[in-house]
Amino acid sequence: MHIKSVLLFLLLILGVVHTISAQKTDKKLTRQIAQIMNGFHGQVGIYVHDLHQNKVVQILADTVFPTASMVKIPIMIMLMDKMKSGELAYHQPFTYSDSLVYPGVDMLASFKSNEKIELSKLMLLMLSLSDNTASLWLQQIAGGGTRINALMDSLGYQQTRVNSRTAGREANRNAYGWGQTTPYEMANIMERMVAGHLLGQPYDAKMLRLLGRNYWDEEAISQIPADVFVASKNGAVDASRSEVLFVNGKKASYIFCICTNHNSDQSWESNNEAWELTRKISKLLWDYYH
């Protein structure tokens, strides 16, 4: 293979330069999504990739948004990388302390001090229930935000970062909260995981299985038939609601990431404007591809 072709292939695998790939913009779908987005009271970024036809939709896809709980994907990747290197074991036991409690209604916070819990179950709580007490503990177990960010950088992601409890990231935390990303980067992380090109197998497959057990299934996932495999993670704070998912449909497989910020509607009812937008676009994508 010519050296130029080798370099291009490596760039595509790393996801560093996505503008040089052979992807084509799906103009029809872009128009339909833009029509649904019209009038939204806030900022919206979207990335969609039809994995079968290799067509994409990109709307503010390289703009930085808050992750909210989507930051738990980078935390998971760091944990899995440490398992790959032998620093951690999937069923390794840890001892809980009530000093770890994060205010809220987390399941882990109901544990008694000195109770044992396996790393695998902590990851289940973090990813399926989005348990913040478990997640902040796992961020610590993973080596902290600085180490997680270094891994993201080594994987080619320049904007996906952990901000909370991470030295030197205070300004970013004030702007974006716990973490930050772009619709493209978060979607590309999922895409490389699906392809087995993120950490490699069997680690990518394990992460997909973990992401396939999402308790919070009332937004984008609710528009997809129950017999279809979906790997996903969503995040929500008052002014930002976001979601990334891989949908392995009967006629198509696709990646979808929607990020919102500066939302006027900061309610927590099911008719929240950002959640309604997410459901509408998810339904459009499913119907469009099937």
Side-chain angles (χ1 to χ4, degrees):
M1 185 182 290
H2 193 277
I3 188 169
K4 185 175 180 181
S5 298
V6 172
L7 289 172
L8 177 59
F9 175 75
L10 290 174
L11 285 172
L12 291 174
I13 291 297
L14 289 174
V16 176
V17 183
H18 60 280
T19 56
I20 63 175
S21 71
Q23 296 169 351
K24 295 181 179 179
T25 298
D26 189 325
K27 296 180 180 178
K28 178 182 178 181
L29 183 57
T30 300
R31 287 194 299 269
Q32 292 182 10
I33 291 175
Q35 185 175 8
I36 293 175
M37 289 170 51
N38 185 41
F40 179 77
H41 299 92
Q43 183 183 35
V44 186
I46 287 175
Y47 183 85
V48 182
H49 188 186
D50 174 357
L51 299 178
H52 286 185
Q53 299 297 322
N54 198 26
K55 291 183 177 182
V56 299
V57 173
Q58 301 184 77
I59 301 173
L60 295 184
D62 293 316
T63 300
V64 177
F65 287 85
T67 58
S69 285
M70 286 197 306
V71 75
K72 293 160 190 178
I73 289 181
I75 295 173
M76 172 190 67
I77 295 168
M78 185 72 250
L79 291 164
M80 200 63 65
D81 190 64
K82 293 184 79 169
M83 292 179 211
K84 182 178 180 179
S85 69
E87 293 180 65
L88 290 173
Y90 187 61
H91 293 292
Q92 182 175 337
F94 286 85
T95 302
Y96 174 73
S97 167
D98 57 15
S99 63
L100 296 164
V101 170
Y102 184 82
V105 291
D106 294 333
M107 184 173 291
L108 186 61
S110 67
F111 277 41
K112 296 178 181 179
S113 276
N114 299 318
E115 284 196 54
K116 301 287 187 180
I117 183 168
E118 289 186 4
L119 177 60
S120 58
K121 293 180 180 178
L122 285 173
M123 294 178 72
L124 173 71
L125 290 174
M126 174 177 74
L127 298 168
S128 297
L129 298 183
S130 217
D131 187 299
N132 287 325
T133 299
S135 302
L136 287 167
W137 189 12
L138 286 171
Q139 180 174 317
Q140 177 184 336
I141 292 170
T146 299
R147 187 167 180 183
I148 296 168
N149 292 342
L151 177 62
M152 291 299 102
D153 191 57
S154 72
L155 291 171
Y157 301 109
Q158 299 178 1
Q159 301 297 341
T160 302
R161 295 290 184 268
V162 175
N163 297 327
S164 181
R165 304 187 183 190
T166 305
R169 302 291 302 178
E170 292 80 10
N172 295 80
R173 182 182 180 182
N174 288 335
Y176 299 107
W178 192 343
Q180 63 184 63
T181 192
T182 69
Y184 168 75
E185 286 197 355
M186 189 56 69
N188 187 256
I189 287 170
M190 184 75 81
E191 184 173 332
R192 287 170 63 191
M193 204 181 294
V194 170
H197 295 158
L198 192 64
L199 297 181
Q201 302 297 16
Y203 308 98
D204 288 347
K206 174 61 75 175
M207 289 190 287
L208 273 182
R209 290 191 184 100
L210 288 168
L211 292 170
R213 303 165 182 163
N214 196 341
Y215 169 80
W216 302 99
D217 60 0
E218 296 177 347
E219 314 317 332
I221 303 174
S222 70
Q223 304 303 304
I224 298 164
D227 62 345
V228 174
F229 176 77
V230 178
S232 70
K233 189 74 196 80
N234 27 20
V237 292
D238 286 345
S240 175
R241 315 291 165 97
S242 303
E243 194 160 353
V244 61
L245 56 163
F246 160 60
V247 180
N248 194 20
K250 298 174 182 177
K251 296 182 180 179
S253 295
Y254 57 95
I255 307 286
F256 167 43
C257 183
I258 178 170
C259 297
T260 70
N261 198 15
H262 310 302
N263 300 353
S264 295
D265 185 352
Q266 299 185 17
S267 68
W268 290 90
E269 302 301 323
S270 62
N271 63 351
N272 173 275
E273 185 182 26
W275 284 338
E276 286 196 333
L277 176 67
T278 298
R279 289 191 292 268
K280 287 177 182 178
I281 294 177
S282 182
K283 181 175 177 11
L284 168 66
L285 293 175
W286 178 262
D287 291 344
Y288 187 84
Y289 292 131
H290 290 81

